Amino acid sequence: MATFLYKLGRISFRRRHVVALIWVALLTLAGAGAASAPAAGNSSFSIPGTEAQKAFDLLEQRFPGASADGATARVVFKAPSGEKMTDPGNKATVQETVKELADGSEVVRVTDPYQAKAVSKDGSIAYAQVSYKVSGMELEDSSRDALEDSAQDARKAGLTVEVGGDALQTVPHTGTSEIIGIAVAAVVLVITFGSLVAAGLPLLTALIGVGIGVSSITALADALDLGSTTSTLAMMIGLAVGIDYALFIVSRYRAELAEGRDREDAAGRAVGTAGSAVVFAGLTVVIALVGLSVVNIPMLTKMGIAAAGTVAIAVLIALTMIPALLGYAGRRVKPAGEKGKLPGRARKQQEQDKPAKPNLGTRWASFVVRRPIAVLLLGVIGLGAAAVPAASLELGLPDDGSQPTSTTQRRAYDLLSEGFGPGSNGPLMVVVDAKDSDDPKAAFTAVGDEIKGLDDVVTVTPPAPNKAGDTATITVIPDSKPSSVATEDLVHSIRDKGAGIKADSDANVLVTGQTAMNIDVSEKLNDALIPYLVLVVGLAFLLLIVVFRSILVPLKAALGFLLSVMAALGAVVAVFQWGWLADLMGVEQTGPVMSMMPIFMVGVVFGLAMDYEVFLVTRMREAYVHGEKAGQAVVTGFKHGARVVTAAAVIMMAVFAGFIGSSESMVKMIGFGLAIAVFFDAFVVRMAIVPAVLALLGRKAWWLPRWLDRALPNVDIEGEALRSQSDREDKARALART
């Protein structure tokens, strides 16, 4: 592989006009496709295999036109102090608002609080429920605007009016965070390379790659039902790995120049060595993202595949566009060590007069090699302590109760809790399918009676059958809030009772609604976490055996990753569930950790962690293969790779940490979780535990059974073929001189 990539790098450097033209043409084509493609709404959301989804599908068949899984909004009214919602003036205002809401093109029905008995016992609070034809993610902006305008009109009449429900659900906008991340990346790159030109290359290629990837997603969004959320993950990951991959190749190019190679040969060797690591690092990220399909949530699968495509583009750009741009940059990209203001000759003379001073990476690695047991114990114990809170991990999906108190959704949530109890924010819909029952009405009644006898139940509405009389819905109001463990237990209790009713009357009992759907999604994601880990870590383990030609190095990489992820999950639990440092992080409401967080963190962080592993350890293996002792190879790897890996990690932390400032609790949690995970993995695992373990193992770290060594393909990621070729060329030149 190194030889092929070496040739590719040289061709790209030499034919830079053609390469640049191809990528600019692809960017233009993707941009034109995105501009001309029909505007795509948000992708449809379904969770195959869950009971809540089965109930929604059944309701679509038995209650045609009811849009059971459509968005809902609750417009909550509170009377001024000393008045009641039943007063004639307030009642007229509410009824006028209900009439306005019913005129929406996507509205299915609006309940009148006075007819639906949705007025609190003290008469101070009432609410109208609006049901829509489509889900909250698919709702048109005009429908949301009409909802907010109606609420504003009622406020002018003197009422306190707040709006909650998933109808106001939108995709969070994080443009400012992305700009901050790019700005920090630019600063770090300038410090790393000491040159604006060298620092600009990774940023430019990363933006081109993300531009092509996101534009392609936009162009195909309508045809493939990708939706607007798909591009968010692709942009985040594409920007991260795009900068990383270009950073490593540019850094290796400067190192090759420092060894006296001409620029074309240096570009070829940079792509042949660091580019080989880029290919395998990219493969681990692609495996992690495509592996999200094991969860069997269509939206998550599409997001993973789209992001994987963007990563593949980032790899191809790094292998071709970077050497082409290096050709354009010429002498403006200096060899490693030449990044001051002194002219080249003066600087070289000054460096010759000074004794060479080991860089920080060399000094740190030398310390770790001398004290491997102490460093290993300190790193493992520290991460183990950080992981302790993960034992108390509670998973759930955020509801309006987790919103900031400044939002109308949160204020509506609090008003409903005040007037009707916390369970009113998450009613359960029980669907009774009595098509095979001899007495459907008796089955409906039996179900209602069974539910009334359960704990944590406040209200059970009478069964509402369909026209055929074979299916009915029953609304259950819990006593606890939607995201609580008690509500989850109630859902399971109703389903357990349904099994007995099925045996007695042949009627199926299904629990659905937004709260039940959230519970089912959380359980589905939780159940998929172990298979996902086995698939992703297992495939990457096999891939790393090929890369490092070792058993223990890939095993150490996988175990270190699991340790860093557990520590990151522990930190997330401590902040967002327990409330530690909540004020500092801007967390207004603690609660369960978002159910998608663990599997999302595993997918994203695993890819980045393997990036750092591959780029750092390949330099160690390269030194070992070329004759250095095992301990010295660790030091050499840090000498060449520590600075670059540190810069890459700082950039990623800055990109992810920018999302902590979001007002959306979900985005804030993702930003914090990914930033702290990169910190733990890059600076504790890769920079401390990895060299300590390799120092302790010595030559055994690179052991591989002979039969396996013969069976594995030789990918030559260390560039041994290039070294042999260089030696032959040197000998030929020496013979020619004699």
Side-chain angles (χ1 to χ4, degrees):
M1 176 178 285
T3 303
F4 169 76
L5 293 177
Y6 169 76
K7 294 177 181 177
L8 178 63
R10 294 196 64 160
I11 291 172
S12 299
F13 185 95
R14 194 182 312 121
R15 307 293 184 189
R16 48 188 172 273
H17 302 308
V18 176
V19 172
L21 184 62
I22 290 173
W23 283 113
V24 170
L26 288 174
L27 179 61
T28 304
L29 185 63
S36 60
N42 295 284
S43 58
S44 56
F45 186 80
S46 63
I47 313 294
T50 61
E51 181 171 315
Q53 187 63 51
K54 291 177 182 176
F56 280 139
D57 295 340
L58 180 65
L59 288 171
E60 288 293 329
Q61 298 174 10
R62 306 288 174 83
F63 292 83
S67 299
D69 59 346
T72 59
R74 288 188 170 187
V75 183
V76 188
F77 307 89
K78 183 174 183 180
S81 179
E83 299 182 17
K84 294 182 179 295
M85 290 305 305
T86 52
D87 293 345
N90 295 335
K91 186 174 182 179
T93 300
V94 171
Q95 290 177 330
E96 179 63 28
T97 302
V98 169
K99 184 178 178 181
E100 289 181 15
L101 292 170
D103 292 336
S105 59
E106 293 183 304
V107 174
V108 176
R109 60 186 173 276
V110 182
T111 60
D112 186 316
Y114 304 101
Q115 296 178 5
K117 299 180 181 179
V119 180
S120 62
K121 291 182 180 179
D122 63 2
S124 63
I125 299 174
Y127 70 88
Q129 181 158 309
V130 187
S131 301
Y132 293 90
K133 298 176 182 177
V134 296
S135 68
M137 296 296 288
E138 298 173 287
L139 204 62
E140 297 288 341
D141 289 339
S142 58
S143 295
R144 294 191 183 94
D145 293 340
L147 183 63
E148 294 171 353
D149 290 343
S150 298
Q152 186 59 36
D153 291 341
R155 291 188 188 106
K156 293 177 181 177
L159 298 177
T160 298
V161 186
E162 305 295 346
V163 183
D166 61 344
L168 295 183
Q169 183 180 10
T170 57
V171 180
H173 297 288
T174 54
T176 304
S177 301
E178 292 158 9
I179 293 172
I180 293 173
I182 293 174
V184 173
V187 172
V188 173
L189 289 170
V190 170
I191 294 173
T192 302
F193 290 135
S195 164
L196 290 175
V197 175
L201 296 182
L203 286 176
L204 177 60
T205 54
L207 291 174
I208 291 174
V210 168
I212 294 174
V214 173
S215 297
S216 299
I217 291 170
T218 304
L220 298 172
D222 185 63
L224 301 181
D225 191 28
L226 297 179
S228 56
T229 57
T230 308
S231 60
T232 304
L233 179 62
M235 182 179 296
M236 181 188 296
I237 303 302
L239 190 63
V241 300
I243 294 175
D244 270 9
Y245 297 162
L247 170 63
F248 290 120
I249 291 179
V250 173
S251 177
R252 185 58 184 256
Y253 170 77
R254 297 176 70 240
E256 295 292 339
L257 288 179
E259 293 184 6
R261 306 191 188 281
D262 66 75
R263 295 187 177 273
E264 182 177 327
D265 187 46
R269 290 179 179 275
V271 176
T273 51
S276 297
V278 164
V279 170
F280 283 96
L283 278 176
T284 61
V285 181
V286 169
I287 288 172
L289 292 171
V290 174
L292 290 171
S293 58
V294 303
V295 184
N296 196 26
I297 296 179
M299 184 183 72
L300 197 58
T301 300
K302 293 174 183 177
M303 289 174 65
I305 293 174
T310 305
V311 171
I313 293 172
V315 171
L316 292 175
I317 283 184
L319 298 178
T320 57
M321 189 71 167
I322 282 292
L325 292 178
L326 289 172
Y328 283 118
R331 296 185 179 277
R332 287 186 289 274
V333 176
K334 299 180 181 299
E338 290 188 23
K339 54 181 183 180
K341 293 183 179 180
L342 291 172
R345 291 183 180 177
R347 180 176 180 83
K348 288 180 181 178
Q349 182 62 44
Q350 190 182 68
E351 288 176 349
Q352 290 173 1
D353 295 339
K354 288 184 178 181
K357 181 181 178 182
N359 62 19
L360 181 60
T362 302
R363 297 196 299 274
W364 168 250
S366 299
F367 170 78
V368 175
V369 169
R370 290 195 305 269
R371 301 283 187 272
I373 296 178
V375 173
L376 178 61
L377 289 177
L378 186 62
V380 172
I381 292 173
L383 291 180
V388 168
S392 303
L393 177 66
E394 295 178 8
L395 298 178
L397 287 178
D399 55 25
D400 287 346
S402 62
Q403 297 275 4
T405 53
S406 58
T407 63
T408 185
Q409 296 99 311
R410 173 62 184 276
R411 291 195 292 265
Y413 182 98
D414 292 340
L415 283 177
L416 281 173
S417 297
E418 176 187 339
F420 303 93
S424 60
N425 284 290
L428 306 176
M429 179 183 291
V430 178
V431 182
V432 185
D433 178 10
K435 189 174 184 178
D436 297 330
S437 176
D438 296 332
D439 190 352
K441 290 185 178 179
F444 300 155
T445 303
V447 172
D449 292 341
E450 288 282 357
I451 295 174
K452 288 177 183 177
L454 296 174
D455 295 334
D456 201 48
V457 173
V458 174
T459 304
V460 178
T461 65
N466 62 348
K467 291 182 179 179
D470 59 4
T471 308
T473 60
I474 300 173
T475 301
V476 180
I477 306 296
D479 188 37
S480 51
K481 63 182 183 179
S483 60
S484 67
V485 175
T487 300
E488 183 177 346
D489 292 340
L490 175 60
V491 170
H492 291 305
S493 297
I494 296 174
R495 288 172 174 170
D496 291 341
K497 289 290 185 182
I501 293 171
K502 169 69 174 176
D504 295 338
S505 62
D506 291 327
N508 287 321
V509 177
L510 304 173
V511 184
T512 188
Q514 189 62 46
T515 300
M517 178 65 84
N518 288 351
I519 292 171
D520 286 352
V521 171
S522 298
E523 292 180 352
K524 190 176 182 71
L525 288 166
N526 196 31
D527 293 342
L529 183 58
I530 299 301
Y532 178 67
L533 268 174
V534 171
L535 173 69
V536 171
V537 176
L539 288 176
F541 179 77
L542 297 176
L543 186 65
L544 292 179
I545 289 178
V546 176
V547 173
F548 295 127
R549 307 195 76 79
S550 163
I551 298 294
L552 296 179
V553 170
L555 180 62
K556 171 264 310 169
L559 293 177
F561 159 73
L562 293 175
L563 190 58
S564 62
V565 166
M566 291 304 298
L569 280 176
V572 170
V573 170
V575 173
F576 292 89
Q577 191 174 307
W578 292 359
W580 293 6
L581 302 177
D583 293 338
L584 180 63
M585 295 294 170
V587 179
E588 297 188 19
Q589 181 70 36
T590 60
V593 172
M594 183 182 66
S595 54
M596 199 176 292
M597 189 69 197
I599 206 163
F600 185 79
M601 183 182 293
V602 167
V604 175
V605 177
F606 181 79
L608 295 177
M610 292 305 102
D611 279 0
Y612 305 143
E613 177 77 13
V614 169
F615 289 118
L616 193 59
V617 179
T618 47
R619 292 306 294 259
M620 299 179 191
R621 174 159 178 80
E622 184 177 340
Y624 178 77
V625 168
H626 292 155
E628 292 188 8
K629 293 183 178 181
Q632 183 57 40
V634 172
V635 177
T636 301
F638 267 75
K639 175 184 177 182
H640 295 293
R643 180 184 180 92
V644 181
V645 170
T646 299
V650 171
I651 289 170
M652 293 309 97
M653 289 170 58
V655 171
F656 295 140
F659 292 88
I660 297 176
S662 173
S663 61
E664 293 283 339
S665 62
M666 180 177 70
V667 177
K668 186 189 297 289
M669 187 182 297
I670 289 174
F672 173 80
L674 294 181
I676 198 71
V678 169
F679 172 78
F680 285 148
D681 197 273
F683 293 104
V684 181
V685 174
R686 309 302 152 191
M687 293 291 183
I689 294 178
V690 165
V693 171
L694 291 177
L696 288 171
L697 291 175
R699 294 181 60 184
K700 295 177 183 178
W702 309 108
W703 171 80
L704 186 69
R706 290 184 179 180
W707 64 268
L708 185 56
D709 187 37
R710 290 192 298 267
L712 291 176
N714 184 11
V715 296
D716 188 23
I717 197 169
E718 304 87 12
E720 183 63 25
L722 298 181
R723 177 68 65 94
S724 301
Q725 177 184 336
S726 178
D727 291 342
R728 289 193 299 270
E729 291 174 353
D730 291 342
K731 289 180 181 178
R733 282 193 292 268
L735 289 173
R737 285 195 297 268
T738 59

